[in-house]
Amino acid sequence: MRKFVTLGMLFVAMLVGVIWLGQHQANLSQLTSNIGAIAQSKPAKFDYKTRLGLPAASQIYQPKPALSGPHPRYLFPGTPLSQVKQHAKDARYAAYWQSVVEKATKFAQTPPPEAVNLDAEDPLRGYGNQLAWMALAYLCEDAPASKQLYLQGTVRWLNAMTTWGLPRQDLALSTFIFGVATAYDWLYDDLPKQTRQSARQYLIEMTRFMRSPENKGAAQWREAQFTANHNWWNYAALAISAAVLWGEQDSPLTAGEPKVWLDEAMQNFWVVRTTLPADGSSVEGFLYQSYGDRPYLEFATLAEQLTRPASSFLEIEALKNRSTRLYALLPNNTGFLTYADSRPRVFSGAYIFRYYAARFRDREAQLLAQIMEDAGQRYKIKEVTFDWHGLFWFDPSVPQAKLEQQPLSYHWPDLGLYAIRNSWTKPNANLFSFKCGPVMGKTVTETWGIHLPNGHIQPDQGNFSFNWGSDAVIPGAGYARKKLPSNHNLVVFEGRAEQAGKLVGQVGGGGAWFGSRLNRLQRQATVLKVDQNSGYTSYLCDLSGLYWLQDERVPKQQFYPNYHRRITYLPKGAVVVVDRVQTPVPRTFTFRLLTSAQSMAVQENGFQMTIGRTQLPARINDFSPQPSSRSVAAEKIPTWDNQERRVASLTATDRTQAIFAVVLGVEGSEAGIQVTAKQNQITIRDRDRTINLPMD
């Protein structure tokens, strides 16, 4: 059976063709024969120390004399105060210094509250972070009146914070430790004696509480969450507290207590370094890449400046390749690809890439930082655009790469993230992206198996997004409050048995945090084959092992459907996505396409809609011989910003095999594209070119 679709020029057309191929009971033995035994019990606790050969702390680092030397110790051993003060007067650093002055003045002039909610993360994280701004402004400012303002503001906030009690959320506690430790270290000789002593006592109490078994929140992140930003913040906080208190005399510290803290941090980040993917990707998405890289760099810089690590925490491929985030830019630099818990406009953390540019003489990192800073100003992002770290980490001697010279396609092999576009400079350029790889990435999976989940992941393997100019035609899911399979452009199944009443998607989803019952994964998503030439690039993705379906009609009362997705990108911007799904017994399938359409209506053969600011006409066509039920609804997707999508759903009942074909065409794509979908092969005809691609 064959179905044909034609795409016109200068508009976006979408086809969803559904071809029901009948109920092939003969597939039962074929589909179930590959299903191995499923572990129903909770996996045993993973002994990572033995598995990874975790060395003793003494084999990871040795202290330098600077660790017990005079204050300040944090950052200044690498960039002396005299040099930072020169940067503050250098026109090339003017944006950073102006930001420091503005923020420090605002913070110093704002009276602290008498009491705070210690169970909240915010605004406590902001209170902790603001201490460094005032302390740095004091050190670099020459005007006596301004210096006095910044010192008095720092003292006033320190005195208030020491009376509030201990923050009970781990991220708030970490930022409090960072803030108090920074002010204590940088202003050690200038703080009033009573303020310095109370700040030291408070710092000790917070650090002890961070490690306390009674602190359940911090304990769960420090146990074995080596890919999580929480873990990095918590252990970096231990390290900076140890560094600024090392060698204290006449102190309430017990003998060797800071060394215990630093030992733990060193061993933790030794494991973190082992699990970081070499391709520079982040399992938590770009939002948390920016947020988590800061504590990692704070720790790694401290380790390099104050100790002699056996192996560098900085000279690693994972950090050298962080600037590949450049290739995830949306058209017109409007944001970044969204996967895991992220959102498009994540432009905070530009100073992180200033560090990578300086450290590795990385031209792409310098370009990316500039783009992020420009966008932060353009969109008036509430996060700080010019962070105080820029006075330490920006090196204007590193040239910027040219955006128009960057590759049009890029693949992060560890994570299985793919991005392909038709231009970097055209206003109506398009970008297509998808994700197909191990849920935690290859490095983590090969090292840990299923024992290192991360709650910020989503059940989105195989999901795709499509941007046309500044319009997100098929947007990414965003930062999900609940990790539902229906948040993504994927097939979902109506549940049976204990799954009845639910839309069943990929293993690991369904809750507020990803990671539920990962032991039910049969195998990870993988790209089976890449076909590429000058005319097209095509990927065959296997999603079969991710869907665990209960069914009382099969021998083991559970099975995994066969699910292949073939994605083909043509150079002018046309994209063809074909799904083939097979089940051993009849099931009800629903295909959902989440769009940013302004309007959508059901018509005789499918759906009519308009998309984007320019109100481009578009269609979704249903050509199934046994028509599926069709529906359109505006849905609030459960994300933190409550995004609304126009969702086109195609549902067919009691079928064992189906092919779903989605064709996206953009302005400039070649006219007259025809798509033929059969069980084992698809054919794309584009003018004088014919492309035959297998589904196996």
Side-chain angles (χ1 to χ4, degrees):
M1 183 170 295
R2 305 158 80 90
K3 295 295 168 189
F4 298 92
V5 180
T6 300
L7 281 74
M9 187 89 77
L10 304 178
F11 67 97
V12 178
M14 285 179 252
L15 158 74
V16 178
V18 185
I19 304 174
W20 301 109
L21 301 176
Q23 299 182 7
H24 299 274
Q25 297 293 341
N27 289 330
L28 175 59
S29 59
Q30 177 183 355
L31 289 176
T32 56
S33 62
N34 295 327
I35 301 174
I38 303 172
Q40 297 296 330
S41 59
K42 184 177 180 180
K45 188 173 181 179
F46 185 76
D47 184 2
Y48 69 90
K49 294 183 179 180
T50 301
R51 174 71 174 270
L52 301 179
L54 179 66
S58 61
Q59 295 176 291
I60 298 174
Y61 83 104
Q62 289 295 320
K64 288 181 180 178
L67 186 57
S68 55
H71 298 275
R73 301 170 185 170
Y74 166 52
L75 292 183
F76 283 107
T79 311
L81 177 58
S82 59
Q83 185 176 344
V84 177
K85 295 183 71 171
Q86 288 177 0
H87 291 169
K89 298 175 182 178
D90 188 328
R92 296 172 298 177
Y93 293 80
Y96 300 106
W97 176 238
Q98 181 181 355
S99 182
V100 168
V101 170
E102 291 175 355
K103 293 291 183 182
T105 300
K106 176 184 176 181
F107 296 148
Q109 292 176 341
T110 303
E114 294 183 2
V116 296
N117 178 8
L118 295 172
D119 289 313
E121 280 191 347
D122 297 313
L124 298 190
R125 286 187 290 183
Y127 293 158
N129 283 326
Q130 69 186 29
L131 289 172
W133 292 86
M134 292 185 286
L136 184 60
Y138 171 79
L139 292 175
C140 294
E141 181 60 73
D142 291 327
S146 295
K147 288 183 72 72
Q148 186 70 7
L149 172 67
Y150 302 141
L151 180 60
Q152 288 179 347
T154 307
V155 170
R156 184 163 59 249
W157 275 92
L158 275 175
N159 289 339
M161 292 169 70
T162 58
T163 66
W164 290 343
L166 302 175
R168 288 186 278 272
Q169 295 293 330
D170 69 291
L171 291 177
L173 182 62
S174 293
T175 52
F176 263 46
I177 291 174
F178 260 96
V180 173
T182 301
Y184 178 81
D185 181 48
W186 288 359
L187 306 184
Y188 186 87
D189 294 325
D190 297 293
L191 292 173
K193 181 178 180 181
Q194 183 58 43
T195 299
R196 185 171 65 247
Q197 289 179 342
S198 61
R200 179 179 65 180
Q201 181 62 40
Y202 189 48
L203 184 58
I204 293 171
E205 291 173 359
M206 287 192 294
T207 310
R208 287 172 175 169
F209 182 58
M210 177 67 78
R211 300 179 63 249
S212 172
E214 297 179 4
N215 187 348
K216 304 296 184 183
Q220 67 172 332
W221 298 111
R222 294 190 302 107
E223 182 179 3
Q225 291 288 332
F226 301 107
T227 66
N229 67 86
H230 288 254
N231 174 282
W232 300 7
W233 274 101
N234 294 179
Y235 276 101
L238 291 186
I240 190 174
S241 185
V244 304
L245 295 174
W246 196 280
E248 288 272 344
Q249 302 296 321
D250 188 27
S251 168
L253 288 162
T254 60
E257 197 169 4
K259 184 178 183 303
V260 172
W261 303 342
L262 190 54
D263 284 357
E264 289 184 3
M266 288 285 181
Q267 287 190 305
N268 180 80
F269 281 105
W270 185 93
V271 178
V272 169
R273 183 180 59 193
T274 302
T275 60
L276 284 174
D279 65 1
S281 61
S282 171
V283 298
E284 292 191 318
F286 293 123
L287 171 62
Y288 284 110
Q289 182 191 66
S290 293
Y291 187 65
D293 275 14
R294 177 193 162 180
Y296 184 93
L297 290 181
E298 305 276 24
F299 162 80
T301 302
L302 179 153
E304 181 177 76
Q305 294 176 354
L306 301 180
T307 77
R308 297 184 182 88
S311 297
S312 175
F313 291 95
L314 292 168
E315 293 293 329
I316 58 176
E317 291 303 307
L319 300 188
K320 292 178 181 179
N321 286 322
R322 277 302 209 221
S323 63
T324 58
R325 176 171 168 175
L326 178 68
Y327 309 127
L329 273 171
L330 300 181
N332 302 324
N333 300 342
T334 54
F336 295 94
L337 299 178
T338 54
Y339 67 92
D341 277 344
S342 191
R343 51 180 180 263
R345 289 186 181 175
V346 181
F347 294 115
S348 59
Y351 65 93
I352 298 292
F353 294 94
R354 294 298 190 193
Y355 179 89
Y356 296 139
R359 177 84 189 196
F360 306 123
R361 306 297 296 178
D362 188 334
R363 296 160 58 96
E364 282 70 31
Q366 195 81 313
L367 170 62
L368 180 56
Q370 187 65 54
I371 289 173
M372 293 173 71
E373 290 174 353
D374 291 346
Q377 293 179 289
R378 181 169 69 250
Y379 294 116
K380 299 180 180 179
I381 305 297
K382 67 178 182 178
E383 291 91 353
V384 176
T385 299
F386 296 102
D387 188 271
W388 61 263
H389 288 82
L391 290 176
F392 291 87
W393 290 349
F394 174 45
D395 182 351
S397 72
V398 178
Q400 290 184 15
K402 295 184 181 301
L403 186 60
E404 63 271 17
Q405 295 178 356
Q406 302 309 307
L408 295 178
S409 64
Y410 197 78
H411 168 215
W412 290 264
D414 196 286
L415 195 60
L417 182 65
Y418 296 78
I420 188 166
R421 68 187 75 226
N422 67 343
S423 173
W424 282 104
T425 57
K426 294 179 180 179
N428 289 333
N430 67 80
L431 172 67
F432 183 84
S433 67
F434 72 97
K435 189 166 176 274
C436 184
V439 292
M440 292 294 299
K442 291 182 180 179
T443 299
V444 172
T445 301
E446 290 172 357
T447 306
W448 297 82
I450 62 171
H451 299 273
L452 191 57
N454 186 301
H456 286 302
I457 294 174
Q458 296 198 34
D460 60 357
Q461 295 302 324
N463 188 45
F464 60 89
S465 62
F466 182 73
N467 290 74
W468 184 84
S470 298
D471 290 318
V473 178
I474 308 294
Y479 194 150
R481 289 181 284 110
K482 194 169 185 180
K483 310 300 187 286
L484 297 177
S486 54
N487 293 353
H488 308 287
N489 302 303
L490 293 163
V491 173
V492 291
F493 299 82
E494 184 179 17
R496 296 179 65 95
E498 293 180 5
Q499 295 174 331
K502 302 176 182 178
L503 290 178
V504 182
Q506 296 175 5
V507 171
W513 303 106
F514 184 85
S516 174
R517 297 182 174 181
L518 282 179
N519 56 317
R520 287 177 173 166
L521 279 172
Q522 184 194 36
R523 60 180 181 270
Q524 300 283 351
T526 185
V527 171
L528 299 175
K529 188 177 183 183
V530 179
D531 299 285
Q532 186 172 24
N533 60 33
S534 60
Y536 66 91
T537 303
S538 187
Y539 311 87
L540 181 61
C541 183
D542 182 9
L543 306 174
S544 303
L546 305 181
Y547 290 80
W548 180 79
L549 300 180
Q550 291 182 311
D551 200 309
E552 68 281 2
R553 297 168 296 174
V554 298
K556 295 185 177 181
Q557 300 189 22
Q558 57 208 2
F559 68 89
Y560 297 86
N562 186 306
Y563 186 176
H564 282 186
R565 169 165 281 184
R566 165 72 76 170
I567 297 173
T568 305
Y569 183 90
L570 281 73
K572 296 293 181 66
V575 178
V576 180
V577 180
V578 178
D579 284 358
R580 188 192 67 192
V581 184
Q582 299 169 311
T583 59
V585 289
R587 294 295 293 250
T588 296
F589 305 171
T590 297
F591 176 85
R592 290 165 53 87
L593 186 67
L594 287 72
T595 79
S596 62
Q598 275 71 34
S599 63
M600 184 183 293
V602 176
Q603 292 191 335
E604 181 179 359
N605 292 322
F607 309 92
Q608 177 70 41
M609 61 184 179
T610 57
I611 56 176
R613 298 178 182 86
T614 53
Q615 298 289 293
L616 296 170
R619 286 185 63 81
I620 303 176
N621 291 331
D622 175 14
F623 289 115
S624 56
Q626 299 180 19
S628 57
S629 62
R630 298 188 300 273
S631 64
V632 168
E635 295 185 17
K636 290 283 188 181
I637 306 302
T639 58
W640 285 106
D641 50 0
N642 293 315
Q643 298 178 26
E644 183 174 285
R645 299 281 189 267
R646 295 278 176 174
V647 181
S649 297
L650 299 172
T651 301
T653 305
D654 293 334
R655 305 295 175 185
T656 60
Q657 194 164 179
I659 292 179
F660 299 89
V662 180
V663 181
L664 307 174
V666 300
E667 180 182 27
S669 63
E670 298 177 44
I673 295 175
Q674 294 180 319
V675 178
T676 304
K678 296 193 295 186
Q679 178 178 357
N680 298 317
Q681 179 178 285
I682 65 170
T683 300
I684 303 170
R685 292 185 175 88
D686 182 13
R687 290 187 178 178
D688 299 328
R689 174 175 47 192
T690 299
I691 306 169
N692 294 307
L693 298 165
M695 289 299 296
D696 291 298

